[in-house]
Amino acid sequence: MQTFKRYLAIYNQKRQENDLEGAKEYAQIILQYANKEVQNPNVADVYKSEFVQNAKIVKKFLDDLEKIKNAPAPATKQSASEDASKTDWFAADIPNLSMKDVAGLQEVKDALLVNVFAALSPKYAPIYRKYRKDIGLQILLYGPPGTGKTHLVKCLAGQLGCKIAVVQIKDVMANLVGDGAKVIHAIFEQAKKYDKCIIFFDEIDAIAASREDDESRHTKEQLTTLLTNMDGFTAGTKENQIRIIVAATNRPWILDSAVKRGGRFETQIYIPLPDMEARRKLISIYLGKDESIKDRLDIPCAPDVTIDWVAKKTEGYAGADIKAICKQVINRPLEREVKYFSAHGTTKDDCVTRDDVEEVLRKYINSITDEMLMSFDAYSKNMTLMEYLAHLKK
Ligand code: ADP
């Protein structure tokens, strides 16, 4: 682990120095090292999940590098910025989803009722007139990865009948050096065409990390552009218009304080891991038991493999992990039936058993770590991780 940590430290150092070639070399070493350790039966699960976490981070960096390499270079500075405004950032259709498609998360739904749905409804206007001057429709969603933040925003857009632009921050990052700011500006300009729209910035931390920490001039420029455009955009909202800005982050603690100040992103909502109700819903969707789904495959399960039983077993996993787990579970009887057919030439009735679920869970490496959950808990208590750990020890 010490050697691995040393490699990580060098990788981080190279990233900070913007030495992409050096960072690439160490990312590859880290990836190989992590892969080997994950396969090693003598390595404890807790270390394995740390290897997986870090492997994911460096893999993403390597993938992004590859994309940048393959992206067509802009002919001139002018054509690059023209491209930014020509791209249609808004999906053609309003998502065919509503808040009913969000499993569980009652506290999150309550927060959206107070901060969005009721705030926009004339029925509630007298109450808002009493208590609030401005209705801040700038929302920061934070929480572990895979907990459904992107899905939630699409459901919100569907429910409100809003056009939506889902902006993966990597789209506005470095590949067109200096143009990230132009892209951000272009997105806000396009949004002004619509009476009802939501701009969703995923992984906002990529441009909104503390300006003191990030030395890159371009990142600072992008953040300043984002903040000024946000202010102008929501301030210009007319009656009967809905203009919402949502940003998501898995690392709220690194955000620049300017992002959370002066009427910006004053509404912060924690998106936790799915509770029992949410897990029940997710599992019934992924095992094809949810009757609201058209053309579903009702996966055959042994009588003791109930939705409740699987939901209890998957406590501590994110929605994205539950989806992956269900897929792997379903593959097991499928594989058995295919092998049987290939050996005997006839079919046999098989189904998902408890053993299938338990085997998959035994091998599955949870993308959520205890450290991650503690970091969120510390953030919501307004403490640094160090303060939080000291507080736990008391
Ligand atoms: P995030 O943006 O937080 O990383 P996503 O929105 O990409 O997560 O969710 C990952 C997957 O898990 C999506 O397929 C989404 O549909 C599903 N999911 C996660 N949580 C929920 C939930 N509470 N209700 C419905 N689907 C969910």
PDB file of all heavy atoms in Angstrom, residues 211-241:
ATOM      1  N   ARG A 211     -10.500  28.463  -6.075  1.00  0.00           N
ATOM      2  CA  ARG A 211      -9.580  29.146  -6.986  1.00  0.00           C
ATOM      3  C   ARG A 211      -8.169  29.239  -6.413  1.00  0.00           C
ATOM      4  O   ARG A 211      -7.211  29.313  -7.132  1.00  0.00           O
ATOM      5  CB  ARG A 211     -10.125  30.525  -7.357  1.00  0.00           C
ATOM      6  CG  ARG A 211     -11.194  30.404  -8.431  1.00  0.00           C
ATOM      7  CD  ARG A 211     -11.714  31.729  -8.860  1.00  0.00           C
ATOM      8  NE  ARG A 211     -12.739  32.191  -7.947  1.00  0.00           N
ATOM      9  CZ  ARG A 211     -13.611  33.149  -8.247  1.00  0.00           C
ATOM     10  NH1 ARG A 211     -13.591  33.725  -9.419  1.00  0.00           N
ATOM     11  NH2 ARG A 211     -14.522  33.515  -7.388  1.00  0.00           N
ATOM     12  N   GLU A 212      -8.081  29.206  -5.081  1.00  0.00           N
ATOM     13  CA  GLU A 212      -6.728  29.233  -4.494  1.00  0.00           C
ATOM     14  C   GLU A 212      -6.005  27.928  -4.785  1.00  0.00           C
ATOM     15  O   GLU A 212      -4.812  27.895  -4.970  1.00  0.00           O
ATOM     16  CB  GLU A 212      -6.783  29.401  -2.971  1.00  0.00           C
ATOM     17  CG  GLU A 212      -7.221  30.770  -2.512  1.00  0.00           C
ATOM     18  CD  GLU A 212      -8.654  30.753  -2.047  1.00  0.00           C
ATOM     19  OE1 GLU A 212      -8.941  30.054  -1.077  1.00  0.00           O
ATOM     20  OE2 GLU A 212      -9.493  31.417  -2.678  1.00  0.00           O
ATOM     21  N   ASP A 213      -6.777  26.812  -4.810  1.00  0.00           N
ATOM     22  CA  ASP A 213      -6.139  25.508  -5.013  1.00  0.00           C
ATOM     23  C   ASP A 213      -5.764  25.296  -6.466  1.00  0.00           C
ATOM     24  O   ASP A 213      -4.811  24.620  -6.781  1.00  0.00           O
ATOM     25  CB  ASP A 213      -7.082  24.362  -4.617  1.00  0.00           C
ATOM     26  CG  ASP A 213      -7.309  24.347  -3.128  1.00  0.00           C
ATOM     27  OD1 ASP A 213      -6.632  25.130  -2.447  1.00  0.00           O
ATOM     28  OD2 ASP A 213      -8.161  23.575  -2.683  1.00  0.00           O
ATOM     29  N   ASP A 214      -6.567  25.828  -7.351  1.00  0.00           N
ATOM     30  CA  ASP A 214      -6.339  25.537  -8.755  1.00  0.00           C
ATOM     31  C   ASP A 214      -5.626  26.697  -9.428  1.00  0.00           C
ATOM     32  O   ASP A 214      -6.162  27.788  -9.528  1.00  0.00           O
ATOM     33  CB  ASP A 214      -7.690  25.266  -9.433  1.00  0.00           C
ATOM     34  CG  ASP A 214      -7.478  24.596 -10.763  1.00  0.00           C
ATOM     35  OD1 ASP A 214      -6.547  25.019 -11.472  1.00  0.00           O
ATOM     36  OD2 ASP A 214      -8.226  23.675 -11.079  1.00  0.00           O
ATOM     37  N   GLU A 215      -4.443  26.401  -9.867  1.00  0.00           N
ATOM     38  CA  GLU A 215      -3.632  27.471 -10.424  1.00  0.00           C
ATOM     39  C   GLU A 215      -3.972  27.762 -11.881  1.00  0.00           C
ATOM     40  O   GLU A 215      -3.525  28.732 -12.452  1.00  0.00           O
ATOM     41  CB  GLU A 215      -2.145  27.088 -10.319  1.00  0.00           C
ATOM     42  CG  GLU A 215      -1.616  27.154  -8.892  1.00  0.00           C
ATOM     43  CD  GLU A 215      -1.852  28.507  -8.242  1.00  0.00           C
ATOM     44  OE1 GLU A 215      -1.504  29.525  -8.854  1.00  0.00           O
ATOM     45  OE2 GLU A 215      -2.420  28.538  -7.141  1.00  0.00           O
ATOM     46  N   SER A 216      -4.756  26.879 -12.532  1.00  0.00           N
ATOM     47  CA  SER A 216      -4.964  27.043 -13.959  1.00  0.00           C
ATOM     48  C   SER A 216      -5.771  28.314 -14.266  1.00  0.00           C
ATOM     49  O   SER A 216      -6.846  28.537 -13.718  1.00  0.00           O
ATOM     50  CB  SER A 216      -5.707  25.814 -14.503  1.00  0.00           C
ATOM     51  OG  SER A 216      -6.489  26.184 -15.593  1.00  0.00           O
ATOM     52  N   ARG A 217      -5.217  29.123 -15.151  1.00  0.00           N
ATOM     53  CA  ARG A 217      -5.871  30.376 -15.517  1.00  0.00           C
ATOM     54  C   ARG A 217      -7.209  30.099 -16.193  1.00  0.00           C
ATOM     55  O   ARG A 217      -8.200  30.778 -15.981  1.00  0.00           O
ATOM     56  CB  ARG A 217      -4.948  31.155 -16.456  1.00  0.00           C
ATOM     57  CG  ARG A 217      -5.446  32.520 -16.846  1.00  0.00           C
ATOM     58  CD  ARG A 217      -4.396  33.253 -17.631  1.00  0.00           C
ATOM     59  NE  ARG A 217      -4.015  32.558 -18.858  1.00  0.00           N
ATOM     60  CZ  ARG A 217      -4.727  32.587 -19.998  1.00  0.00           C
ATOM     61  NH1 ARG A 217      -5.841  33.257 -20.043  1.00  0.00           N
ATOM     62  NH2 ARG A 217      -4.320  31.942 -21.072  1.00  0.00           N
ATOM     63  N   HIS A 218      -7.211  29.005 -17.016  1.00  0.00           N
ATOM     64  CA  HIS A 218      -8.429  28.699 -17.780  1.00  0.00           C
ATOM     65  C   HIS A 218      -9.570  28.283 -16.868  1.00  0.00           C
ATOM     66  O   HIS A 218     -10.708  28.643 -17.071  1.00  0.00           O
ATOM     67  CB  HIS A 218      -8.143  27.608 -18.807  1.00  0.00           C
ATOM     68  CG  HIS A 218      -7.116  28.043 -19.793  1.00  0.00           C
ATOM     69  ND1 HIS A 218      -7.286  29.165 -20.555  1.00  0.00           N
ATOM     70  CD2 HIS A 218      -5.918  27.531 -20.106  1.00  0.00           C
ATOM     71  CE1 HIS A 218      -6.212  29.323 -21.311  1.00  0.00           C
ATOM     72  NE2 HIS A 218      -5.368  28.353 -21.051  1.00  0.00           N
ATOM     73  N   THR A 219      -9.212  27.500 -15.832  1.00  0.00           N
ATOM     74  CA  THR A 219     -10.258  27.068 -14.904  1.00  0.00           C
ATOM     75  C   THR A 219     -10.851  28.281 -14.201  1.00  0.00           C
ATOM     76  O   THR A 219     -12.056  28.392 -14.032  1.00  0.00           O
ATOM     77  CB  THR A 219      -9.671  26.075 -13.877  1.00  0.00           C
ATOM     78  OG1 THR A 219      -8.927  25.118 -14.590  1.00  0.00           O
ATOM     79  CG2 THR A 219     -10.746  25.401 -13.081  1.00  0.00           C
ATOM     80  N   LYS A 220      -9.979  29.206 -13.818  1.00  0.00           N
ATOM     81  CA  LYS A 220     -10.463  30.421 -13.145  1.00  0.00           C
ATOM     82  C   LYS A 220     -11.385  31.207 -14.070  1.00  0.00           C
ATOM     83  O   LYS A 220     -12.421  31.708 -13.668  1.00  0.00           O
ATOM     84  CB  LYS A 220      -9.275  31.306 -12.749  1.00  0.00           C
ATOM     85  CG  LYS A 220      -8.549  30.793 -11.554  1.00  0.00           C
ATOM     86  CD  LYS A 220      -7.421  31.743 -11.201  1.00  0.00           C
ATOM     87  CE  LYS A 220      -6.423  31.027 -10.310  1.00  0.00           C
ATOM     88  NZ  LYS A 220      -5.137  31.671 -10.286  1.00  0.00           N
ATOM     89  N   GLU A 221     -10.976  31.269 -15.328  1.00  0.00           N
ATOM     90  CA  GLU A 221     -11.761  32.026 -16.315  1.00  0.00           C
ATOM     91  C   GLU A 221     -13.136  31.367 -16.491  1.00  0.00           C
ATOM     92  O   GLU A 221     -14.164  32.037 -16.537  1.00  0.00           O
ATOM     93  CB  GLU A 221     -10.984  32.016 -17.633  1.00  0.00           C
ATOM     94  CG  GLU A 221     -11.531  32.938 -18.693  1.00  0.00           C
ATOM     95  CD  GLU A 221     -10.780  32.734 -20.005  1.00  0.00           C
ATOM     96  OE1 GLU A 221      -9.606  32.306 -19.976  1.00  0.00           O
ATOM     97  OE2 GLU A 221     -11.393  32.978 -21.051  1.00  0.00           O
ATOM     98  N   GLN A 222     -13.129  30.010 -16.552  1.00  0.00           N
ATOM     99  CA  GLN A 222     -14.403  29.292 -16.720  1.00  0.00           C
ATOM    100  C   GLN A 222     -15.317  29.532 -15.518  1.00  0.00           C
ATOM    101  O   GLN A 222     -16.515  29.756 -15.672  1.00  0.00           O
ATOM    102  CB  GLN A 222     -14.138  27.793 -16.885  1.00  0.00           C
ATOM    103  CG  GLN A 222     -13.546  27.461 -18.240  1.00  0.00           C
ATOM    104  CD  GLN A 222     -12.972  26.056 -18.304  1.00  0.00           C
ATOM    105  OE1 GLN A 222     -13.104  25.277 -17.377  1.00  0.00           O
ATOM    106  NE2 GLN A 222     -12.336  25.732 -19.406  1.00  0.00           N
ATOM    107  N   LEU A 223     -14.726  29.500 -14.324  1.00  0.00           N
ATOM    108  CA  LEU A 223     -15.546  29.689 -13.133  1.00  0.00           C
ATOM    109  C   LEU A 223     -16.122  31.108 -13.095  1.00  0.00           C
ATOM    110  O   LEU A 223     -17.316  31.293 -12.824  1.00  0.00           O
ATOM    111  CB  LEU A 223     -14.706  29.410 -11.869  1.00  0.00           C
ATOM    112  CG  LEU A 223     -15.430  29.620 -10.547  1.00  0.00           C
ATOM    113  CD1 LEU A 223     -16.720  28.816 -10.492  1.00  0.00           C
ATOM    114  CD2 LEU A 223     -14.550  29.239  -9.368  1.00  0.00           C
ATOM    115  N   THR A 224     -15.302  32.082 -13.413  1.00  0.00           N
ATOM    116  CA  THR A 224     -15.800  33.459 -13.402  1.00  0.00           C
ATOM    117  C   THR A 224     -16.927  33.608 -14.428  1.00  0.00           C
ATOM    118  O   THR A 224     -17.959  34.222 -14.148  1.00  0.00           O
ATOM    119  CB  THR A 224     -14.641  34.437 -13.727  1.00  0.00           C
ATOM    120  OG1 THR A 224     -13.577  34.117 -12.853  1.00  0.00           O
ATOM    121  CG2 THR A 224     -15.052  35.863 -13.544  1.00  0.00           C
ATOM    122  N   THR A 225     -16.732  33.019 -15.614  1.00  0.00           N
ATOM    123  CA  THR A 225     -17.783  33.095 -16.635  1.00  0.00           C
ATOM    124  C   THR A 225     -19.065  32.427 -16.139  1.00  0.00           C
ATOM    125  O   THR A 225     -20.162  32.946 -16.324  1.00  0.00           O
ATOM    126  CB  THR A 225     -17.334  32.378 -17.933  1.00  0.00           C
ATOM    127  OG1 THR A 225     -16.057  32.836 -18.253  1.00  0.00           O
ATOM    128  CG2 THR A 225     -18.291  32.596 -19.071  1.00  0.00           C
ATOM    129  N   LEU A 226     -18.900  31.278 -15.505  1.00  0.00           N
ATOM    130  CA  LEU A 226     -20.073  30.558 -15.002  1.00  0.00           C
ATOM    131  C   LEU A 226     -20.826  31.434 -14.000  1.00  0.00           C
ATOM    132  O   LEU A 226     -22.046  31.596 -14.104  1.00  0.00           O
ATOM    133  CB  LEU A 226     -19.628  29.246 -14.326  1.00  0.00           C
ATOM    134  CG  LEU A 226     -20.725  28.473 -13.604  1.00  0.00           C
ATOM    135  CD1 LEU A 226     -21.683  27.843 -14.612  1.00  0.00           C
ATOM    136  CD2 LEU A 226     -20.162  27.391 -12.701  1.00  0.00           C
ATOM    137  N   LEU A 227     -20.099  32.017 -13.056  1.00  0.00           N
ATOM    138  CA  LEU A 227     -20.762  32.795 -12.002  1.00  0.00           C
ATOM    139  C   LEU A 227     -21.468  34.026 -12.563  1.00  0.00           C
ATOM    140  O   LEU A 227     -22.614  34.311 -12.221  1.00  0.00           O
ATOM    141  CB  LEU A 227     -19.746  33.203 -10.927  1.00  0.00           C
ATOM    142  CG  LEU A 227     -19.088  32.034 -10.177  1.00  0.00           C
ATOM    143  CD1 LEU A 227     -18.082  32.533  -9.170  1.00  0.00           C
ATOM    144  CD2 LEU A 227     -20.114  31.156  -9.488  1.00  0.00           C
ATOM    145  N   THR A 228     -20.810  34.725 -13.481  1.00  0.00           N
ATOM    146  CA  THR A 228     -21.460  35.944 -14.005  1.00  0.00           C
ATOM    147  C   THR A 228     -22.674  35.568 -14.855  1.00  0.00           C
ATOM    148  O   THR A 228     -23.712  36.213 -14.763  1.00  0.00           O
ATOM    149  CB  THR A 228     -20.492  36.810 -14.851  1.00  0.00           C
ATOM    150  OG1 THR A 228     -19.583  35.953 -15.492  1.00  0.00           O
ATOM    151  CG2 THR A 228     -19.764  37.821 -14.048  1.00  0.00           C
ATOM    152  N   ASN A 229     -22.554  34.505 -15.629  1.00  0.00           N
ATOM    153  CA  ASN A 229     -23.700  34.099 -16.450  1.00  0.00           C
ATOM    154  C   ASN A 229     -24.864  33.616 -15.588  1.00  0.00           C
ATOM    155  O   ASN A 229     -26.021  33.888 -15.893  1.00  0.00           O
ATOM    156  CB  ASN A 229     -23.296  33.002 -17.435  1.00  0.00           C
ATOM    157  CG  ASN A 229     -22.661  33.582 -18.678  1.00  0.00           C
ATOM    158  OD1 ASN A 229     -23.348  34.042 -19.579  1.00  0.00           O
ATOM    159  ND2 ASN A 229     -21.342  33.605 -18.718  1.00  0.00           N
ATOM    160  N   MET A 230     -24.533  32.901 -14.526  1.00  0.00           N
ATOM    161  CA  MET A 230     -25.587  32.412 -13.628  1.00  0.00           C
ATOM    162  C   MET A 230     -26.365  33.580 -13.045  1.00  0.00           C
ATOM    163  O   MET A 230     -27.596  33.574 -13.011  1.00  0.00           O
ATOM    164  CB  MET A 230     -24.955  31.640 -12.457  1.00  0.00           C
ATOM    165  CG  MET A 230     -24.813  30.173 -12.713  1.00  0.00           C
ATOM    166  SD  MET A 230     -23.823  29.356 -11.441  1.00  0.00           S
ATOM    167  CE  MET A 230     -24.658  29.782  -9.963  1.00  0.00           C
ATOM    168  N   ASP A 231     -25.628  34.597 -12.587  1.00  0.00           N
ATOM    169  CA  ASP A 231     -26.277  35.748 -11.957  1.00  0.00           C
ATOM    170  C   ASP A 231     -27.222  36.430 -12.949  1.00  0.00           C
ATOM    171  O   ASP A 231     -28.386  36.692 -12.649  1.00  0.00           O
ATOM    172  CB  ASP A 231     -25.229  36.755 -11.469  1.00  0.00           C
ATOM    173  CG  ASP A 231     -24.397  36.172 -10.333  1.00  0.00           C
ATOM    174  OD1 ASP A 231     -24.811  35.137  -9.786  1.00  0.00           O
ATOM    175  OD2 ASP A 231     -23.341  36.745 -10.013  1.00  0.00           O
ATOM    176  N   GLY A 232     -26.716  36.666 -14.153  1.00  0.00           N
ATOM    177  CA  GLY A 232     -27.519  37.363 -15.151  1.00  0.00           C
ATOM    178  C   GLY A 232     -28.724  36.535 -15.578  1.00  0.00           C
ATOM    179  O   GLY A 232     -29.821  37.063 -15.776  1.00  0.00           O
ATOM    180  N   PHE A 233     -28.518  35.249 -15.683  1.00  0.00           N
ATOM    181  CA  PHE A 233     -29.559  34.362 -16.188  1.00  0.00           C
ATOM    182  C   PHE A 233     -30.762  34.308 -15.247  1.00  0.00           C
ATOM    183  O   PHE A 233     -31.895  34.562 -15.650  1.00  0.00           O
ATOM    184  CB  PHE A 233     -28.966  32.964 -16.348  1.00  0.00           C
ATOM    185  CG  PHE A 233     -29.886  31.951 -16.949  1.00  0.00           C
ATOM    186  CD1 PHE A 233     -30.317  32.090 -18.260  1.00  0.00           C
ATOM    187  CD2 PHE A 233     -30.296  30.842 -16.222  1.00  0.00           C
ATOM    188  CE1 PHE A 233     -31.154  31.142 -18.826  1.00  0.00           C
ATOM    189  CE2 PHE A 233     -31.130  29.901 -16.786  1.00  0.00           C
ATOM    190  CZ  PHE A 233     -31.558  30.047 -18.082  1.00  0.00           C
ATOM    191  N   THR A 234     -30.507  34.045 -13.981  1.00  0.00           N
ATOM    192  CA  THR A 234     -31.656  33.931 -13.066  1.00  0.00           C
ATOM    193  C   THR A 234     -32.258  35.308 -12.758  1.00  0.00           C
ATOM    194  O   THR A 234     -33.465  35.429 -12.587  1.00  0.00           O
ATOM    195  CB  THR A 234     -31.301  33.170 -11.769  1.00  0.00           C
ATOM    196  OG1 THR A 234     -29.956  33.433 -11.451  1.00  0.00           O
ATOM    197  CG2 THR A 234     -31.459  31.698 -11.916  1.00  0.00           C
ATOM    198  N   ALA A 235     -31.398  36.332 -12.748  1.00  0.00           N
ATOM    199  CA  ALA A 235     -31.943  37.676 -12.465  1.00  0.00           C
ATOM    200  C   ALA A 235     -32.883  38.114 -13.588  1.00  0.00           C
ATOM    201  O   ALA A 235     -33.828  38.863 -13.362  1.00  0.00           O
ATOM    202  CB  ALA A 235     -30.808  38.673 -12.311  1.00  0.00           C
ATOM    203  N   GLY A 236     -32.649  37.613 -14.803  1.00  0.00           N
ATOM    204  CA  GLY A 236     -33.471  38.034 -15.941  1.00  0.00           C
ATOM    205  C   GLY A 236     -34.770  37.245 -16.107  1.00  0.00           C
ATOM    206  O   GLY A 236     -35.455  37.383 -17.120  1.00  0.00           O
ATOM    207  N   THR A 237     -35.108  36.400 -15.127  1.00  0.00           N
ATOM    208  CA  THR A 237     -36.310  35.566 -15.267  1.00  0.00           C
ATOM    209  C   THR A 237     -37.577  36.424 -15.240  1.00  0.00           C
ATOM    210  O   THR A 237     -37.740  37.279 -14.367  1.00  0.00           O
ATOM    211  CB  THR A 237     -36.392  34.527 -14.119  1.00  0.00           C
ATOM    212  OG1 THR A 237     -35.142  33.879 -14.037  1.00  0.00           O
ATOM    213  CG2 THR A 237     -37.505  33.536 -14.355  1.00  0.00           C
ATOM    214  N   LYS A 238     -38.465  36.187 -16.253  1.00  0.00           N
ATOM    215  CA  LYS A 238     -39.726  36.946 -16.268  1.00  0.00           C
ATOM    216  C   LYS A 238     -40.841  36.077 -15.697  1.00  0.00           C
ATOM    217  O   LYS A 238     -40.658  34.873 -15.508  1.00  0.00           O
ATOM    218  CB  LYS A 238     -40.074  37.308 -17.720  1.00  0.00           C
ATOM    219  CG  LYS A 238     -39.030  38.177 -18.382  1.00  0.00           C
ATOM    220  CD  LYS A 238     -39.607  38.770 -19.663  1.00  0.00           C
ATOM    221  CE  LYS A 238     -38.533  39.543 -20.401  1.00  0.00           C
ATOM    222  NZ  LYS A 238     -37.611  38.678 -21.151  1.00  0.00           N
ATOM    223  N   GLU A 239     -41.980  36.720 -15.478  1.00  0.00           N
ATOM    224  CA  GLU A 239     -43.119  35.955 -14.983  1.00  0.00           C
ATOM    225  C   GLU A 239     -43.461  34.862 -16.003  1.00  0.00           C
ATOM    226  O   GLU A 239     -43.283  35.060 -17.215  1.00  0.00           O
ATOM    227  CB  GLU A 239     -44.316  36.896 -14.824  1.00  0.00           C
ATOM    228  CG  GLU A 239     -45.006  36.689 -13.482  1.00  0.00           C
ATOM    229  CD  GLU A 239     -46.108  37.690 -13.277  1.00  0.00           C
ATOM    230  OE1 GLU A 239     -45.773  38.898 -13.180  1.00  0.00           O
ATOM    231  OE2 GLU A 239     -47.255  37.260 -13.261  1.00  0.00           O
ATOM    232  N   ASN A 240     -43.926  33.743 -15.552  1.00  0.00           N
ATOM    233  CA  ASN A 240     -44.255  32.601 -16.402  1.00  0.00           C
ATOM    234  C   ASN A 240     -43.042  31.885 -16.995  1.00  0.00           C
ATOM    235  O   ASN A 240     -43.190  30.970 -17.782  1.00  0.00           O
ATOM    236  CB  ASN A 240     -45.202  32.975 -17.557  1.00  0.00           C
ATOM    237  CG  ASN A 240     -46.501  33.491 -17.025  1.00  0.00           C
ATOM    238  OD1 ASN A 240     -46.963  33.021 -15.974  1.00  0.00           O
ATOM    239  ND2 ASN A 240     -47.076  34.464 -17.703  1.00  0.00           N
ATOM    240  N   GLN A 241     -41.861  32.355 -16.658  1.00  0.00           N
ATOM    241  CA  GLN A 241     -40.669  31.629 -17.126  1.00  0.00           C
ATOM    242  C   GLN A 241     -40.143  30.760 -15.989  1.00  0.00           C
ATOM    243  O   GLN A 241     -40.285  31.114 -14.819  1.00  0.00           O
ATOM    244  CB  GLN A 241     -39.560  32.603 -17.529  1.00  0.00           C
ATOM    245  CG  GLN A 241     -39.735  33.162 -18.920  1.00  0.00           C
ATOM    246  CD  GLN A 241     -38.552  34.041 -19.310  1.00  0.00           C
ATOM    247  OE1 GLN A 241     -37.891  34.623 -18.454  1.00  0.00           O
ATOM    248  NE2 GLN A 241     -38.313  34.137 -20.597  1.00  0.00           N
TER     249      GLN A 241
END
